[in-house]
Amino acid sequence: LLSALMLTLTVAARPATAEGPLKPYAIGYNNWIGYIALFVAQEQGLFKAEGLDVQVKMFSSPGDGIAPLLGGSLDGHLTTADSVVTALDKAPGQIVNVYLTDTSAGADAILAKTSVTSVQGLKGKTVAATAGQCNELLLVKALEKAGLTTADVTFTNMNPDDAGAAFAAGKLDAAVTWEPWISKVQGEKKGHVIFSSKDVPNLILDTFAISKHTADTKAAETRAFVRALDKANTWVIAHPREAAAIAAKPLEQSADEVLAMLPKVKLYDAAANKAQMGTTATPGPAIGVARELAAFFKARGTNSGVVDPATVFDASYLP
């Protein structure tokens, strides 16, 4: 009787999980504050409660996991809308964003030496950014507003982490990077922000994308993953301090540092996702962003054609 009671109490203490064995679901991500829901969902057992064994693989940049996703070694990838737009040009119909985790609102920025007081001051300077990805777009937008182009700077192709590290080491005049490098550099007084994603609202959208193969073979698992991710994002919005404590270890920051970074991203729950994506009859703001991205990458020569913005998002997986 005592053994039976102990077993009952043990089972009751565990999070409720879907019946049957957990289904494997492999995703890619990079250490970005906007993906905080991933770490919370893992810690709180939300994926297991949906019947999933979520296996994660970290990449340096949001675009780095696109090839493995299209190749079938990943079921989904936490990435950016622009990465999907560039992929769709080469692989039409093979990838789509099914959830918006957040939009950057200051968590991506151009860091410059203190001697460079404005974007205009970048003329003739060495600037690092990732070619063909969202931080190059941020640089182009900043230069355009200052009446400059990339021809006015010495461009160096680096991923955001390498750019942040190189700038902190004094090897660059400026770098387009993200958190936590922005806070680190400013905290150590090695540079300052001269332009950020806060200056171009909703331009950098962070997303969860799947391939056509995943849609065809793991639609139920994808819906389960999105449900869990959305529950976590909703919880983070309501409990930022507790969420920061959970994300501190995977983000390799203190809880206070994570908490300070959180206001630099605007997290989206399911309702916000639906508003952003809209409907076929009434497209939401995210469709406008996709249209701008498609035109930008065509003009830059990154894409050979203009991707149809209607193919970039699929709201049918939203809870």
Side-chain angles (χ1 to χ4, degrees):
L1 180 61
L2 180 60
S3 296
L5 178 60
M6 290 293 289
L7 178 61
T8 300
L9 290 173
T10 301
V11 171
R14 294 174 182 162
T17 60
E19 292 183 6
L22 297 178
K23 297 178 180 179
Y25 197 78
I27 70 154
Y29 77 103
N30 58 269
N31 261 356
W32 166 249
I33 181 65
Y35 302 149
I36 189 170
L38 171 67
F39 312 125
V40 168
Q42 287 177 309
E43 176 69 21
Q44 294 184 342
L46 298 179
F47 294 132
K48 289 183 178 178
E50 290 285 354
L52 299 178
D53 172 20
V54 171
Q55 302 153 1
V56 298
K57 180 176 176 57
M58 189 171 74
F59 295 90
S60 295
S61 294
D64 291 350
I66 297 294
L69 176 62
L70 292 173
S73 59
L74 292 177
D75 297 312
H77 183 44
L78 286 161
T79 183
T80 53
D82 58 278
S83 295
V84 172
V85 169
T86 56
L88 281 169
D89 181 63
K90 284 78 178 173
Q94 296 302 306
I95 186 171
V96 68
N97 296 301
V98 297
Y99 187 83
L100 304 178
T101 59
D102 68 284
T103 185
S104 180
D108 294 85
I110 302 175
L111 290 172
K113 291 180 176 179
T114 52
S115 59
V116 179
T117 59
S118 67
V119 176
Q120 286 89 343
L122 292 178
K123 188 171 184 176
K125 300 294 193 297
T126 301
V127 185
T130 313
Q133 293 194 23
C134 55
N135 55 3
E136 184 192 16
L137 175 57
L138 186 66
L139 174 62
V140 169
K141 285 288 187 182
L143 293 172
E144 283 178 352
K145 289 194 173 188
L148 302 174
T149 71
T150 50
D152 292 308
V153 303
T154 301
F155 183 85
T156 299
N157 185 17
M158 288 187 182
N159 72 51
D161 285 326
D162 289 346
F167 180 83
K171 298 177 181 179
L172 298 166
D173 297 313
V176 187
T177 185
W178 52 25
E179 291 290 6
W181 286 106
I182 298 167
S183 295
K184 178 180 173 61
V185 166
Q186 289 182 306
E188 296 175 355
K189 301 188 184 305
K190 292 182 177 179
H192 65 129
V193 171
I194 58 171
F195 193 87
S196 81
S197 52
K198 191 175 181 179
D199 299 306
V200 279
N202 223 35
L203 181 68
I204 300 178
L205 288 171
D206 299 296
T207 68
F208 178 65
I210 62 170
S211 64
K212 184 178 184 302
H213 176 73
T214 301
D216 290 341
T217 62
K218 292 192 174 184
E221 290 92 327
T222 297
R223 287 189 171 85
F225 180 87
V226 170
R227 279 195 301 270
L229 197 68
D230 182 62
K231 287 175 185 175
N233 236 12
T234 302
W235 188 85
V236 173
I237 292 168
H239 305 88
R241 185 171 296 278
E242 295 90 334
I246 291 172
K249 184 176 180 180
L251 287 175
E252 300 177 339
Q253 304 292 309
S254 71
D256 285 342
E257 287 170 331
V258 175
L259 187 62
M261 287 189 286
L262 265 177
K264 296 181 181 180
V265 292
K266 182 178 181 180
L267 300 176
Y268 289 139
D269 58 12
N273 264 266
K274 291 170 184 175
Q276 281 292 321
M277 294 188 200
T279 64
T280 303
T282 310
I287 306 300
V289 173
R291 183 177 294 108
E292 183 175 1
L293 291 170
F296 169 78
F297 288 122
K298 172 62 170 68
R300 298 288 290 173
T302 304
N303 286 4
S304 58
V306 178
V307 171
D308 181 358
T311 66
V312 178
F313 303 99
D314 181 352
S316 68
Y317 291 87
L318 295 174

